[in-house]
Amino acid sequence: MGLIIYWLAVVVLFIVGIVQVIIKSARKEPLKPGLILILISVIMLVIGAGACAVILSNLKIGH
């Protein structure tokens, strides 16, 4: 269940970031908040994908 919530959070952050960038770009406002949300979602995507790869490959580190 936690995994579903994690990936849902990644998708929501990315979509909100994209929407903010589009709206603020049209209004000629600073884009930094939207870009930060996109950056956070990409970092979460990389971390989550790496964790899933480790779990699925059944790596046993240190054993």
Side-chain angles (χ1 to χ4, degrees), residues 2-20:
L3 192 62
I4 295 170
I5 294 171
Y6 180 85
W7 289 114
L8 188 62
V10 171
V11 170
V12 169
L13 281 174
F14 185 75
I15 291 173
V16 169
I18 291 290
V19 169
Q20 275 191 4

Side-chain angles (χ1 to χ4, degrees), residues 1-61:
M1 183 67 177
L3 192 62
I4 295 170
I5 294 171
Y6 180 85
W7 289 114
L8 188 62
V10 171
V11 170
V12 169
L13 281 174
F14 185 75
I15 291 173
V16 169
I18 291 290
V19 169
Q20 275 191 4
V21 167
I22 291 170
I23 291 172
K24 289 182 184 262
S25 176
R27 293 182 182 172
K28 306 288 189 214
E29 295 177 2
L31 303 177
K32 190 173 181 180
L35 293 175
I36 289 173
L37 286 178
I38 294 171
L39 180 64
I40 290 170
S41 69
V42 169
I43 290 170
M44 288 176 67
L45 174 73
V46 170
I47 291 171
C52 284
V54 169
I55 291 168
L56 292 175
S57 68
N58 201 12
L59 284 178
K60 294 182 180 173
I61 299 172

